[in-house]
Amino acid sequence: MTTIHDVARVAGVSISTVSYALSGKRSVSASTRQRIQDAVRELDYRPNAGARMLAGRRTYILAVTEPLRADTYAPAHMAFVLAVTRAARRHDYDVLLLTQDEASGGLQRVTSSRLVDAIVVLDVLTHDERADIVRALDIPAVLVGVPADTSGLVCVDLDFAQVARMAVDRLVEAGHTTVGLLGHQSSAYDGGSNFPPRLRDAFLAHAAERGVVGRFAMPERDPGQVGSAVDELLGPDADLTGLVMHCEEPLQVRALAALRARGLRVPQDVSVISAASTFDTSMFTPPLDSIPLVADESCELAVELALAQLDGTVRPTVELLPPHYLDLGSVADWSA
Amino acid sequence: MTTIHDVARVAGVSISTVSYALSGKRSVSASTRQRIQDAVRELDYRPNAGARMLAGRRTYILAVTEPLRADTYAPAHMAFVLAVTRAARRHDYDVLLLTQDEASGGLQRVTSSRLVDAIVVLDVLTHDERADIVRALDIPAVLVGVPADTSGLVCVDLDFAQVARMAVDRLVEAGHTTVGLLGHQSSAYDGGSNFPPRLRDAFLAHAAERGVVGRFAMPERDPGQVGSAVDELLGPDADLTGLVMHCEEPLQVRALAALRARGLRVPQDVSVISAASTFDTSMFTPPLDSIPLVADESCELAVELALAQLDGTVRPTVELLPPHYLDLGSVADWSA
DNA sequence: AATTTTTATCGAAGCGCTTCGACGGTTTTG
DNA sequence: CAAAACCGTCGAAGCGCTTCGATAAAAATT
């Protein structure tokens, strides 16, 4: 193993000079720095992680807690884990993965053993024990998602309410007067996740504000019941012309099939918007307008806020990212 | 922060005695051990990770590399990451996640900085650069999956060939004489993954050995073409009576729908076996016999082999785990 | 020219742990 | 019963790094 001593010897300087040259925390003359960098390259030197953790005040490791429960939609969650990992690497951090079984114990463990510098909490539930844990833990933490009680927490999330308003506005401005929201399976609304209700409530409220009829339906027990949820939205007179979907990919596929099966064309008969989707709606038939849930953006911000807490203090905050509308032609203009 | 010094002081012993009491590497009298454990509990002492890494010869961290490419089926891969993480925790190890972008560089980095004790490589391709990297790296590593060249490597995997044989045997013994295998999308066979061809080849070979007609088909470009693949398997005379499916969940669902659409009942008209499935086939309608791909089992073994390399030397090996047949009644006995 | 300030470097003190060698005190053994 | 073996404990030496003075030399200020 090559150590900082080897580098110092080869460069003909003391180890502290090597350390300063590499960290940049004190000035080092250009020529010396050059010799040190040459030595580093020649020896393929990489600082020992353990030593750096012990001596310095940083471990350069971030804990990511993602429960990965059985009922979660893996692709979306995976995307967030990935996005955090990439964001972390951009800041020279590695990611330690904490899962379900380790939710509370793991957070305690990695915190008190000083294994990680900060924690990123993914897949946050409305009432999430991990929120209480990080609150108590005195370690920089950022939640991606918004729990019921955000006091003392730093949270980052897409502005789901704004997504709903944006979708409603788009449809209203295109002349639609009856709009519906197809939601997740009902279990998503009573148990846990915080964002489905946020989007739903804003949808219905904003439809009312804009003076149009707003409906909401969800597949009751299993995805097979998308059909009846679609029927419910269409209404007895089949007068729905604007459909917003906030659910997982397979459900959206089936909902489109259900429309097709009922002889309804998109966008001629029904305009459709995919809201807060984590997948690519341009591959759908037809491609759907969407207001995507971009994991990269929120995770980058989450990592930044987590690391920012290590030096300058970041005060508790809830950062809601503004959504962006992606127009792919699945909304027909009826206003003319 | 509470350190080993605090524990030593409270227990009234030296720090080395504390260390030995906790590691068990030298004998400590029962009474002393008790006092030390009491102190540990009272102070909620957790050894500093960095110090342990530096002083000891272990970091208690395992690197897991899982590319998570865009084309991968997230749930299955997620399951493996999870399974490794859980297995690691059982051995008191944490897991550091390395993704796509970091495949080679990341492995180098965590190895030469002594951040991890060993590496578990997931989602191994037939020709996988990571195989070459770990071969060169002089760090304990285990691949979950079997690359083309296994020299010098420790590999763990389900015995996919045996899965195929088991499925064929089951159908043959139930009296079926024409059996088909519905594979993954064609891209899975030419590019990368190593196991689809292994299963396919063994399927066809073993069908021939057992003297039955063996067919193979896959959805050509996209999942929508499952229907034609099913038709291809059924054959012009629709004489297929045994179907083995080795593909992802949505594909299997659609294939069953395709059978239904053609008026074929399971198992009365066609017997079906789900091979190497990572999902629960008991929730299907009808529930399908399966020979599951159990992530837990292979990942536990992978972690064990990885850690075993840290002391006693494990010689290079390819461990193929025997499959197990799960009977849920989707194979009809035609032999009577 | 004498002083202060800045710059570049070094030595040494830890960070919290593991582990080696040593040392009394007990047991066992010949 | 002396010698050898073992047991339980301790002190101290690192592990490889960061960081805090200190110091000598160079630059800037009087």
Side-chain angles (χ1 to χ4, degrees):
Chain A
M1 218 183 95
T2 116
T3 74
I4 198 172
H5 285 96
D6 302 322
V7 177
R9 188 170 27 75
V10 169
V13 295
S14 72
I15 63 160
S16 51
T17 302
V18 174
S19 181
Y20 286 125
L22 296 180
S23 71
K25 293 191 179 171
R26 278 197 191 175
S27 56
V28 168
S29 74
S31 66
T32 313
R33 192 182 316 115
Q34 190 56 57
R35 265 182 300 130
I36 289 175
Q37 279 164 358
D38 291 346
V40 164
R41 210 150 302 135
E42 179 190 332
L43 300 171
D44 191 29
Y45 166 72
R46 234 60 134 276
N48 178 291
R52 218 159 57 138
M53 286 188 199
L54 181 56
R57 45 190 82 270
R58 298 229 180 167
T59 69
Y60 296 96
I61 300 180
L62 225 56
V64 170
T65 144
E66 160 60 83
L68 293 177
R69 301 180 227 84
D71 69 322
T72 54
Y73 182 62
H77 293 253
M78 204 79 162
F80 276 86
V81 173
L82 248 179
V84 173
T85 307
R86 275 200 306 258
R89 282 304 307 145
R90 254 175 259 135
H91 297 265
D92 257 305
Y93 266 73
D94 270 302
V95 156
L96 198 86
L97 188 64
L98 260 26
T99 55
Q100 175 77 320
D101 336 86
E102 282 270 297
S104 62
L107 291 178
Q108 310 256 35
R109 186 166 48 76
V110 300
T111 301
S112 57
S113 68
R114 297 255 109 90
L115 219 199
V116 306
D117 290 337
I119 297 171
V120 174
V121 183
L122 294 182
D123 192 15
V124 175
L125 303 180
T126 307
H127 299 283
D128 201 310
E129 59 163 339
R130 297 171 301 163
D132 303 321
I133 294 170
V134 301
R135 223 189 315 255
L137 230 39
D138 185 39
I139 186 174
V142 176
L143 318 209
V144 178
V146 183
D149 176 10
T150 62
S151 62
L153 300 176
V154 177
C155 305
V156 173
D157 208 354
L158 178 64
D159 190 340
F160 284 90
Q162 187 57 31
V163 168
R165 281 181 228 116
M166 194 176 250
V168 169
D169 285 341
R170 178 74 180 85
L171 291 172
V172 167
E173 272 145 35
H176 298 269
T177 53
T178 304
V179 300
L181 173 66
L182 176 68
H184 287 77
Q185 296 180 223
S186 59
S187 61
Y189 292 86
D190 33 57
S193 292
N194 64 85
F195 56 91
R198 271 156 62 199
L199 196 148
R200 176 197 57 196
D201 297 345
F203 179 88
L204 295 175
H206 199 60
E209 262 167 43
R210 298 293 313 247
V212 298
V213 178
R215 294 180 186 150
F216 172 73
M218 53 201 172
E220 274 311 323
R221 299 195 58 80
D222 72 279
Q225 291 168 309
V226 169
S228 43
V230 168
D231 285 329
E232 190 183 335
L233 288 176
L234 290 172
D237 308 324
D239 55 353
L240 186 95
T241 62
L243 174 64
V244 177
M245 301 198 288
H246 180 216
C247 47
E248 290 149 10
E249 183 167 15
L251 254 60
Q252 300 203 7
V253 171
R254 285 184 218 199
L256 285 181
L259 288 179
R260 216 174 297 123
R262 284 156 186 72
L264 297 170
R265 296 157 305 164
V266 176
Q268 294 90 332
D269 302 309
V270 182
S271 292
V272 177
I273 299 174
S274 179
S277 36
T278 53
F279 41 87
D280 183 8
T281 57
S282 71
M283 305 299 288
F284 279 41
T285 41
L288 295 186
D289 281 26
S290 86
I291 307 172
L293 168 52
V294 186
D296 287 313
E297 213 174 319
S298 37
C299 292
E300 172 66 34
L301 180 57
V303 168
E304 273 168 19
L305 286 174
L307 299 184
Q309 288 176 64
L310 288 173
D311 11 69
T313 311
V314 174
R315 79 188 77 256
T317 168
V318 176
E319 300 279 333
L320 295 180
L321 296 172
H324 304 290
Y325 195 95
L326 198 67
D327 192 332
L328 295 174
S330 64
V331 171
D333 195 338
W334 289 27
S335 60
Chain B
M1 219 183 94
T2 117
T3 76
I4 199 172
H5 284 96
D6 303 321
V7 177
R9 189 170 26 74
V10 170
V13 296
S14 72
I15 63 160
S16 51
T17 301
V18 174
S19 181
Y20 287 125
L22 296 180
S23 71
K25 293 191 179 172
R26 278 197 192 176
S27 55
V28 169
S29 74
S31 66
T32 312
R33 192 180 319 114
Q34 190 55 58
R35 265 183 300 133
I36 290 175
Q37 279 165 0
D38 291 347
V40 164
R41 210 150 303 136
E42 179 189 332
L43 301 170
D44 191 31
Y45 166 73
R46 235 59 137 277
N48 178 290
R52 220 158 57 137
M53 288 189 198
L54 181 56
R57 45 190 83 269
R58 299 230 178 166
T59 68
Y60 295 95
I61 301 179
L62 224 56
V64 170
T65 145
E66 159 60 83
L68 293 178
R69 300 181 229 83
D71 69 323
T72 53
Y73 181 62
H77 293 254
M78 204 80 162
F80 276 86
V81 172
L82 247 178
V84 173
T85 307
R86 275 200 307 256
R89 283 304 305 144
R90 257 176 257 135
H91 297 266
D92 257 306
Y93 267 72
D94 270 302
V95 156
L96 198 85
L97 187 65
L98 261 25
T99 55
Q100 174 77 320
D101 336 87
E102 283 271 297
S104 62
L107 291 179
Q108 310 256 34
R109 186 166 47 76
V110 299
T111 300
S112 57
S113 68
R114 296 257 110 92
L115 218 199
V116 306
D117 290 337
I119 298 172
V120 174
V121 183
L122 293 183
D123 191 14
V124 176
L125 302 180
T126 307
H127 297 284
D128 201 309
E129 58 161 340
R130 296 172 301 162
D132 303 321
I133 294 169
V134 300
R135 223 189 316 257
L137 230 39
D138 185 39
I139 186 175
V142 176
L143 318 209
V144 178
V146 182
D149 176 10
T150 62
S151 63
L153 300 176
V154 177
C155 305
V156 173
D157 209 354
L158 178 63
D159 189 342
F160 284 91
Q162 187 57 33
V163 168
R165 282 182 229 114
M166 194 176 248
V168 169
D169 285 341
R170 178 73 181 87
L171 291 172
V172 168
E173 272 144 35
H176 298 269
T177 54
T178 303
V179 300
L181 173 65
L182 177 68
H184 287 79
Q185 295 179 223
S186 59
S187 61
Y189 292 86
D190 32 58
S193 293
N194 64 85
F195 57 91
R198 272 157 61 200
L199 195 148
R200 176 198 58 196
D201 296 346
F203 179 87
L204 295 175
H206 198 61
E209 261 167 44
R210 298 290 316 244
V212 300
V213 177
R215 294 179 186 151
F216 172 73
M218 54 201 172
E220 274 311 322
R221 300 194 59 79
D222 73 277
Q225 290 168 308
V226 169
S228 42
V230 168
D231 285 330
E232 191 183 335
L233 288 176
L234 290 172
D237 307 325
D239 56 352
L240 186 95
T241 62
L243 174 64
V244 177
M245 302 198 288
H246 180 216
C247 47
E248 289 148 11
E249 182 166 16
L251 255 60
Q252 300 203 7
V253 170
R254 285 185 220 196
L256 285 182
L259 288 179
R260 216 173 297 123
R262 284 155 186 72
L264 298 170
R265 296 157 304 162
V266 176
Q268 295 91 331
D269 302 309
V270 182
S271 291
V272 177
I273 298 174
S274 180
S277 37
T278 52
F279 41 87
D280 182 7
T281 58
S282 72
M283 304 298 289
F284 280 41
T285 40
L288 295 186
D289 280 25
S290 84
I291 306 173
L293 168 51
V294 185
D296 287 313
E297 213 175 320
S298 38
C299 292
E300 171 65 35
L301 180 57
V303 168
E304 273 168 20
L305 286 174
L307 299 184
Q309 288 175 65
L310 288 173
D311 12 67
T313 312
V314 173
R315 78 188 78 255
T317 170
V318 177
E319 301 279 333
L320 295 180
L321 296 172
H324 303 289
Y325 195 95
L326 199 67
D327 192 333
L328 294 174
S330 65
V331 171
D333 194 339
W334 289 26
S335 60

